RNA sequence: GCGGGCAUGGUGGAAUAGGUAGACACAAGAGACUUAAAAUCUCUCGGGGGCAACCCUGUGCCGGUUCGAGUCCGGCUGCCCGCACCA
């Protein structure tokens, strides 16, 4: 082969990227008459440069995008930048620069990297969440949410990361540490803004059963996180005067067995209920619990400890006195922060009762057994038969729950309740590089939202980054000193910014009309594109981003912005990129740099390997030799096509009635492959097997020597099909080869080929013959053959006779077109 | 502890609806071409036996269902992930 026909990725990749950009190949607009397909990959944080996780994520997405486009869909495939966040601020402090400078430089670099990968984005829709043109609408929504009570401020204990010097939402605390920097999270009491996600808890949960296109494990994680439990709120009157203590319990069937009360040490009434003689001991206990760090406190082997407050309450069912304790295992944030303790039927209460010598009464008996508190070694937590429970004795504990709830309500002692583990989403962050919260505090008028005409609240540029004392906004007079929009008196602006997860909760909606000046989105355009048909990203956002985005979509629906209930119809969570048995990371020293990879092999090879080595949802083991193999494969395709170019271009029109057996057989292989590849991409997202099928066909083609004119036509069809099938995976080299094959229209604008149903019909079938389920022979039979004839052939086969001679044939099973199994005694 | 997932050659992985286990690729070995190397091409490649045709065995372990099980069911073991004193 001459030098001019050598495969040089860098040349052809630059060439086609330029063509796609200049011709705006992937720019889309709303076309109501066409089927739309909204494809989205999670947008990146502009950290500096893309990593292999991005390469994989975006390669997977690009296959789907290019394939759907060739299949005739109007494909919306946008890209942008999740551009607010802490690393920008930290870099600014370190470099004595500004977060905006760092962020926009990174975006510029990473945009070029993505372009070098040849991804089929509509770049005209690119957005960066740190642009005022983006976050201004988020502020407008905040005000609308505030007016509806969906955004509110309250003083509460919050998760505080001492290293990031900011608050974290519950979802952002992992194993007691900060999700970003792993620093141990402490509790701090602060005034914070919250979004009322709990208002949507029921709907968010309901819809986990209406998202068949989501991986089950993500739905399970979200269900667990929302944590719905059905039970009762029950009021326990105090022995003396005062408000009763309210508890939440899912085990109201054990109410008659409640012998003491456990409150969380942080319970607001803990000290109020403490008698003077117990005060010093109680205070010491509260101090001790506070000092125990969060990880220790939630460890399951933590010793159950508590302290008696000196007060008593009364069991509303039995009237018996119950001592009120503080207990270290009761969580203030769950339920009411108070638990009725039933030591016989709850393991924690049992351990506690044993330690402090508290009374026990068995109120649920296992069937056919009599438990005695004196001899019990553990709580009995299974369902059983009610005992010592007044009018409920003898009932099944499971079914009595409803009756007891009813009785409590009738008696005015409690009511059926649904409790959620989900807390409201704390969105205040004491940081600079985020969207300002559009609120003004006035001594006379209170908390006032910034009026529409004054929006947006622009993040000021003239700030200094010292790295000390939290957000620079809090000390920037020109920012926080404002006049009250209602009374005009001097007032103070909110200096906290919003959690960056707020931006990513609606960016997929903004992509529908990224330049819309009239509001968050153009409702008509969003109506055409939404919902996202396929969303692709990492599993790490299973509860965080994916729950917030679902919540925002529902809020925006209720505010009239969109008509959909859910943002993402189908979700694909891709696996991690692994090398040498570990996730790629700088600290492990096993990172592969995408720039170096593309420089050495080209983007097509990088894409091909990340798609071929494993199916998308599995972890991908990076292997340099495997990359080599993919590069070799592309070269083989390149070479084979150039070898046949002259004959193929002169080939006559294909006449399927004039083919030799060999030609017909080759054509059958081509169309069978096309069928498989189409199905693997479209229905299963199994790109690895699709690529393997094309490799297999390539092996067949390389062994074929077709010498007739019609043979050249068959080869032409075969080569064109190979190129078209590979287009979604390796778009640059296939465009080039498509052009070499004489096509004027780019492959990216060419429809996906359809397989010829006639061509794939087998003339002969291979029938496997088993004796007692073991493979013993194979038969080649005509495709049209009846069952009896196949069975007869099988039974009389010489090799089969060796195994059936002198034995009695009991049964002959025939699976049409596949197999015969002869059962002998 | 609870919930979920996974387990197939030396390696990554295939087997889509219970029907030929190991497609495709990587690595390894042998050979061709070459002065030589690289590149490329050809062959071998789960384990055991046999000169061979072929036979036995094999999908983490034990059992079951079935004419037939990598696939379904029950029980174990190991690994991974999520939640974790949630009342």
């Amino acid at each position: 082969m001459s030098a001019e026909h050598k495969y040089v990725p860098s040349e052809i990749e630059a060439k086609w990227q330029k063509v796609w950009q200049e011709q705006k190949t992937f720019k889309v607009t709303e076309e109501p008459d066409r089927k739309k397909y909204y494809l989205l990959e999670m947008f990146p944080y502009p950290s500096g440069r893309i990593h292999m996780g991005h390469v994989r994520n975006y390669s997977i997405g690009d296959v789907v995008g290019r394939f759907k486009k060739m299949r005739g869909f109007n494909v919306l495939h946008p890209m942008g930048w999740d551009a607010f966040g802490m690393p920008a601020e930290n870099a600014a402090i370190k470099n004595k620069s500004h977060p905006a400078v760092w962020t926009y430089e990174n975006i510029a670099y990473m945009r070029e990297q993505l372009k070098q990968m040849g991804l089929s984005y509509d770049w005209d829709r690119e957005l960066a969440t740190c642009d005022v043109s983006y976050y201004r609408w988020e502020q407008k929504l905040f005000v609308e949410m505030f007016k509806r009570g969906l955004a509110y401020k309250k003083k509460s204990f919050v998760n505080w990361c001492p290293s990031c010097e900011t608050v974290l939402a519950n979802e952002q605390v992992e194993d007691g540490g900060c999700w970003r920097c792993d620093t141990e999270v402490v509790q701090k009491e602060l005034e914070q803004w919250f979004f009322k996600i709990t208002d949507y808890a029921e709907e968010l949960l309901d819809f986990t059963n209406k998202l068949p296109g989501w991986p089950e494990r993500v739905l399970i994680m979200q269900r667990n996180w929302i944590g719905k439990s059905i039970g009762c709120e029950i009021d326990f009157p105090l022995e003396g005067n005062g408000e009763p203590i309210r508890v939440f319990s899912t085990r109201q069937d054990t109410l008659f067995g409640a012998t003491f009360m456990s409150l969380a040490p942080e319970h607001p009434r803990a000290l109020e209920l403490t008698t003077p003689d117990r005060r010093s001991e109680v205070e010491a206990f509260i101090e001790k619990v506070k000092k125990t760090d969060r990880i220790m406190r939630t460890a399951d082997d933590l010793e159950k400890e508590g302290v008696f407050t000196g007060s008593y309450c009364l069991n509303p069912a039995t009237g018996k006195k119950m001592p009120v304790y503080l207990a270290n295992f009761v969580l203030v944030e769950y339920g009411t922060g108070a638990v009725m303790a039933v030591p016989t039927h709850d393991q924690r209460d049992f351990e506690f009762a044993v330690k402090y010598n508290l009374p026990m009464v068995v109120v649920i008996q296992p069937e056919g057994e009599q438990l005695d508190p004196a001899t019990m070694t553990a709580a009995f937590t299974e369902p059983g038969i009610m005992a010592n429970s007044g009018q409920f004795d003898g009932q099944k504990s499971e079914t009595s729950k409803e009756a007891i709830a009813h009785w409590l309500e009738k008696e005015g002692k409690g009511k059926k309740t649904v409790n959620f583990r989900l807390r409201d989403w704390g969105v205040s962050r004491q940081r600079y590089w985020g969207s300002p919260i559009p609120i003004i505090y006035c001594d006379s008028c209170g908390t006032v939202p910034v009026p529409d005409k004054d929006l947006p609240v622009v993040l000021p540029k003239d700030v200094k980054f010292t790295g000390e004392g939290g957000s620079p906004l809090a000390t920037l007079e020109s920012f926080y000193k404002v006049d009250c929009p209602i009374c005009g008196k001097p007032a103070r602006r909110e200096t906290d910014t919003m959690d960056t997860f707020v931006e990513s909760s609606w960016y997929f909606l903004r992509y529908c009309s990224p330049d819309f000046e009239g509001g968050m989105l153009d409702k008509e355009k969003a109506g055409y594109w939404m919902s996202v048909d396929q969303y692709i990203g990492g599993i790490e956002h299973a509860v965080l981003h994916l729950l917030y985005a679902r919540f925002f979509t529902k809020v925006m629906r209720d505010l009239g912005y969109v008509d959909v209930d859910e943002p993402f119809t189908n979700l694909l969570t891709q696996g991690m990129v692994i090398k040498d048995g570990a996730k790629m990371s700088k600290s492990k020293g096993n990172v592969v740099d995408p720039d170096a990879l593309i420089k050495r092999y080209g983007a097509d090879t990088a894409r091909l390997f990340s798609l071929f080595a494993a199916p998308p949802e599995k972890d991908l083991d990076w292997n340099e030799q495997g990359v080599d193999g993919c590069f070799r494969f592309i070269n083989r395709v390149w070479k084979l096509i150039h070898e046949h170019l002259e004959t193929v271009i002169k080939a006559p029109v294909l006449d399927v009635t004039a083919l030799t057996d060999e030609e017909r057989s080759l054509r059958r292989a081509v169309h069978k492959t096309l069928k498989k590849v189409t199905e693997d991409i479209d229905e299963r997202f199994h790109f690895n097997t699709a690529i393997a099928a094309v490799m297999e066909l390539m092996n067949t083609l390389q062994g074929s020597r077709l010498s007739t004119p019609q043979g050249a036509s068959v080869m032409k069809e075969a080569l064109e099909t190979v190129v078209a099938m590979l287009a979604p995976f390796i778009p640059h080299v296939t465009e080039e080869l498509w052009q070499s094959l004489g096509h004027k229209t780019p492959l990216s604008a060419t429809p996906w080929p359809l397989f010829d149903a006639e061509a794939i019909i087998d003339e002969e079938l291979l029938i496997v013959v088993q004796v007692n389920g073991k493979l013993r022979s194979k038969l080649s039979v005509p495709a049209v053959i009846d069952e009896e004839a196949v069975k007869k052939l099988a039974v009389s086969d010489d090799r089969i006779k060796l195994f059936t001679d002198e034995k009695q044939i009991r049964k002959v099973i025939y699976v049409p077109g596949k197999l015969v199994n002869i059962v002998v005694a």
Side-chain angles (χ1 to χ4, degrees):
Chain A
M1 202 188 307
S2 62
E4 64 196 292
H5 288 317
K6 202 169 176 293
Y7 169 51
V8 184
S10 55
E11 284 172 18
I12 61 176
E13 290 183 0
K15 168 182 164 185
W16 289 101
Q17 282 159 17
K18 198 168 160 234
V19 170
W20 296 329
Q21 179 157 335
E22 282 171 359
Q23 300 189 349
K24 293 202 184 285
T25 305
F26 301 104
K27 184 178 171 66
V28 284
T29 50
E30 301 70 37
E31 293 177 59
D33 300 336
R34 283 179 70 198
K35 304 168 284 183
K36 68 94 186 179
Y37 191 87
Y38 187 176
L39 166 69
L40 185 65
E41 299 113 46
M42 290 180 186
F43 65 166
Y45 177 77
S47 57
R49 32 182 53 214
I50 61 168
H51 54 69
M52 293 313 296
H54 293 128
V55 170
R56 187 177 192 202
N57 190 173
Y58 303 146
S59 295
I60 292 166
D62 210 49
V63 174
V64 179
R66 288 176 178 269
F67 176 77
K68 288 288 179 186
K69 179 171 159 64
M70 289 175 86
R71 295 283 271 179
F73 287 88
N74 192 25
V75 178
L76 172 59
H77 190 202
M79 181 41 73
W81 312 96
D82 188 12
F84 271 139
M86 295 254 324
E89 225 165 312
N90 295 337
I93 293 163
K94 206 175 136 196
N95 307 330
K96 298 205 164 40
S97 168
H98 194 278
V101 174
W102 184 85
T103 302
Y104 283 105
E105 276 174 8
N106 287 348
I107 288 175
Y109 189 82
M110 290 170 76
R111 184 192 297 118
E112 279 319 297
Q113 286 189 301
L114 294 184
K115 287 193 172 172
Q116 277 176 27
M117 279 187 63
L119 302 166
S120 61
Y121 297 125
D122 177 357
W123 283 105
D124 288 352
R125 291 173 188 263
E126 181 185 356
L127 57 83
T129 58
C130 63
D131 282 349
V132 189
S133 62
Y134 182 84
Y135 70 75
R136 61 178 301 183
W137 303 116
E138 191 169 302
Q139 295 178 346
K140 187 164 185 287
L141 186 77
F142 187 99
V143 171
E144 286 180 59
M145 287 175 74
F146 173 76
K147 287 177 179 165
R148 290 243 184 162
L150 288 168
Y152 66 96
K153 199 174 194 192
K154 73 169 179 198
K155 192 171 187 178
S156 69
F157 279 97
V158 291
N159 308 299
W160 178 264
C161 173
S163 165
C164 299
E165 290 191 316
T166 191
V167 158
L168 300 171
N170 286 344
E171 289 82 0
Q172 294 158 14
V173 180
E174 293 170 355
D175 285 330
C178 172
W179 71 285
R180 206 182 291 111
C181 67
D182 256 357
T183 308
E184 190 186 307
V185 169
V186 296
Q187 296 300 301
K188 195 167 171 176
E189 200 171 24
L190 278 176
E191 284 250 14
Q192 293 290 296
W193 283 97
F194 288 87
F195 283 157
K196 219 160 188 324
I197 191 170
T198 52
D199 267 12
Y200 288 83
E202 195 75 65
E203 199 195 334
L204 287 166
L205 182 67
D206 271 356
F207 270 87
T208 60
N209 296 315
K210 298 173 196 169
L211 290 169
W214 281 44
E216 190 57 28
R217 64 174 179 147
V218 174
L219 296 173
I220 287 167
M221 281 190 234
Q222 293 211 352
R223 275 180 216 133
N224 289 342
W225 188 262
I226 296 167
K228 178 180 180 176
S229 33
I230 299 165
C232 281
E233 269 179 6
I234 309 171
D235 287 334
F236 286 66
L238 292 183
E239 191 193 22
N241 292 324
E243 278 285 299
I245 300 171
R246 178 166 288 184
V247 306
F248 170 77
S249 178
T250 58
R251 292 299 307 273
Q252 63 268 26
D253 52 324
T254 64
L255 173 60
F256 287 74
T259 52
F260 61 99
M261 173 70 62
S262 304
L263 302 189
E266 302 91 342
H267 195 283
R269 295 180 65 198
L271 287 175
E272 172 207 319
L273 291 166
T274 302
T275 54
D277 58 312
R278 309 286 310 157
R279 194 165 182 100
S280 60
E281 210 179 315
V282 167
E283 280 178 345
F285 177 74
I286 294 173
E287 261 322 291
K288 185 184 167 189
V289 172
K290 260 190 195 162
K291 275 188 194 147
T292 318
D293 69 57
R294 215 184 148 81
I295 299 165
M296 286 286 292
R297 193 158 163 209
T298 53
D300 53 3
D301 54 352
L302 182 78
E303 167 97 14
K304 310 260 173 298
E305 276 185 26
V307 66
F308 179 43
T309 60
S311 299
Y312 291 87
C313 63
L314 303 174
N315 184 315
T318 63
K320 282 190 188 151
K321 266 171 70 172
M322 297 164 60
V324 177
Y325 275 75
L326 305 186
N328 63 348
F329 61 87
V330 179
L331 307 170
V332 72
E333 63 267 21
Y334 185 76
T336 62
V339 183
M340 66 175 202
V342 187
T344 44
H345 304 295
D346 182 286
Q347 186 56 27
R348 295 156 299 180
D349 297 341
F350 182 84
E351 286 168 35
F352 197 84
V354 168
K355 178 162 179 169
Y356 295 103
N357 202 19
L358 293 158
M360 300 190 195
V361 180
V362 172
V363 291
I364 293 169
Q365 294 285 11
E367 279 189 71
E369 217 185 310
Q370 286 291 306
L371 293 172
D372 176 3
T375 57
M376 284 172 81
T377 54
F380 174 69
T381 55
E382 308 287 302
I385 304 298
M386 310 269 298
N388 296 317
S389 296
Q391 72 268 39
F392 301 103
D393 280 2
Q395 290 192 19
K396 285 189 174 169
S397 63
E398 286 286 85
T399 50
S400 74
K401 283 187 178 179
E402 198 61 33
I404 290 179
H406 199 80
W407 174 78
L408 282 167
E409 246 164 85
K410 204 181 73 199
E411 298 279 313
K413 293 172 172 176
K415 61 171 206 265
K416 199 172 162 184
T417 332
V418 175
N419 191 61
F420 290 96
R421 204 185 81 117
L422 182 71
R423 305 285 87 184
D424 278 337
W425 175 14
V427 295
S428 298
R429 294 293 179 273
Q430 293 68 42
R431 305 295 308 191
Y432 165 77
W433 194 232
S435 168
I437 292 173
I439 291 290
I440 291 166
Y441 302 104
C442 170
D443 286 340
S444 326
C445 308
T447 304
V448 181
V450 175
D452 229 25
K453 65 175 176 53
D454 295 340
L455 286 177
V457 179
V458 179
L459 198 57
K461 288 266 162 64
D462 54 334
V463 287
K464 288 197 179 65
F465 292 91
T466 58
E468 285 152 30
S471 167
L473 292 181
T475 53
L476 187 69
E477 244 188 53
S478 60
F479 181 72
Y480 70 73
K481 267 183 112 168
V482 285
D483 294 335
C484 171
I486 297 175
C487 67
K489 281 190 245 170
R492 193 176 59 82
R493 192 188 288 288
E494 169 69 63
T495 56
D496 282 354
T497 53
M498 281 189 246
D499 182 2
T500 58
F501 278 101
V502 177
E503 283 86 59
S504 54
S505 293
W506 67 283
Y507 76 110
F508 46 90
L509 289 163
R510 186 66 186 171
Y511 277 143
C512 299
S513 51
D515 301 319
F516 187 58
E517 294 279 344
M520 288 187 98
L521 52 85
D522 180 327
K523 192 170 179 182
E524 203 176 309
K525 290 180 176 176
Y528 174 76
W529 292 114
M530 285 298 287
S531 302
V532 174
D533 294 277
Q534 184 65 55
Y535 197 30
I536 307 171
I539 187 79
E540 65 271 21
H541 291 295
V543 228
L544 290 158
H545 160 61
L546 289 169
L547 189 64
Y548 296 145
R550 293 183 58 214
F551 162 60
F552 249 57
T553 302
K554 290 173 193 298
V555 169
M556 288 175 69
R557 174 200 63 196
D558 292 347
L559 292 171
Y561 284 99
V562 283
D563 293 323
V564 296
D565 295 312
E566 287 286 338
F568 315 122
T569 309
N570 295 291
L571 172 68
L572 175 74
T573 48
Q574 103 260 7
M576 289 186 301
V577 182
I578 302 285
K579 192 165 180 273
D580 310 323
K583 185 181 177 173
M584 276 190 191
S585 71
K586 268 184 206 150
S587 59
K588 297 238 170 51
N590 61 350
V591 284
V592 173
D593 174 32
D595 279 351
L597 185 71
I598 289 170
K599 200 172 170 197
R600 179 156 175 207
Y601 295 99
D604 282 335
T605 298
R607 293 169 56 124
L608 188 64
F609 179 75
S610 60
L611 296 162
F612 175 64
E617 65 277 10
K618 268 198 159 188
D619 284 350
L620 171 86
D621 208 340
W622 197 266
N623 171 297
E624 201 62 31
Q625 275 119 13
V627 181
D628 261 319
C630 286
F631 184 70
R632 282 203 296 269
F633 171 69
I634 297 174
N635 269 287
R636 286 201 304 150
V637 176
W638 179 272
K639 235 173 96 178
L640 185 75
I641 286 171
H642 281 274
E643 274 167 13
H644 286 84
L645 216 46
E646 265 183 69
T647 23
V648 146
I649 281 177
K650 289 184 295 199
V653 174
L654 182 68
D655 175 5
V656 294
T657 62
L659 304 182
T660 64
D661 284 352
E662 201 193 353
E663 287 157 2
R664 222 170 25 247
S665 151
L666 184 68
R667 200 163 171 261
R668 187 176 307 120
V670 171
H671 285 269
K672 277 188 170 181
T673 305
L674 177 55
K675 181 172 189 283
K676 179 177 170 52
V677 169
T678 307
E679 288 166 356
D680 277 357
I681 299 176
D682 206 16
E683 292 159 27
R684 303 204 304 156
F685 283 10
H686 278 204
F687 311 130
N688 56 331
T689 52
I691 294 163
V694 182
M695 287 177 169
E696 219 176 329
L697 179 62
M698 275 294 296
N699 291 341
T700 308
L701 293 179
Q702 283 185 310
S704 299
R705 295 283 168 269
L706 302 175
S707 45
T708 67
Q710 276 301 316
S713 308
V714 170
M715 184 54 83
K716 179 179 182 179
E717 186 193 27
L719 296 177
E720 289 187 340
T721 307
V722 164
V723 170
M725 285 190 293
L726 289 174
F729 308 103
I730 44 174
H732 310 90
V733 66
T734 47
E735 283 280 21
E736 183 70 19
L737 289 169
W738 189 250
Q739 193 180 53
S740 303
L741 282 162
H743 294 275
K744 297 276 184 290
T745 311
L747 192 46
S748 47
T750 302
W752 184 258
L754 298 171
F755 69 87
D756 179 349
E758 291 285 317
I760 63 171
I761 296 169
D762 285 297
E763 289 161 18
E764 294 218 308
L765 296 173
L766 184 71
I767 302 290
V768 169
V769 187
Q770 299 178 331
V771 177
N772 286 347
K774 286 191 175 171
L775 174 69
R776 296 301 181 189
S777 185
K778 291 171 189 178
L779 295 174
S780 190
V781 302
V784 260
I785 188 167
D786 61 77
E787 176 165 349
E788 286 315 308
V790 177
K791 284 181 175 177
K792 209 172 151 188
L793 276 173
V795 170
S796 55
D797 184 75
D798 284 345
R799 293 190 19 79
I800 292 304
K801 279 186 181 159
L802 291 172
F803 295 92
T804 56
D805 260 1
E806 293 170 34
K807 291 191 180 119
Q808 198 195 341
I809 295 178
R810 285 273 167 90
K811 211 197 263 185
V812 179
I813 288 152
Y814 176 57
V815 180
K818 277 195 172 155
L819 143 161
V820 175
N821 189 13
I822 299 161
V823 186
V824 296

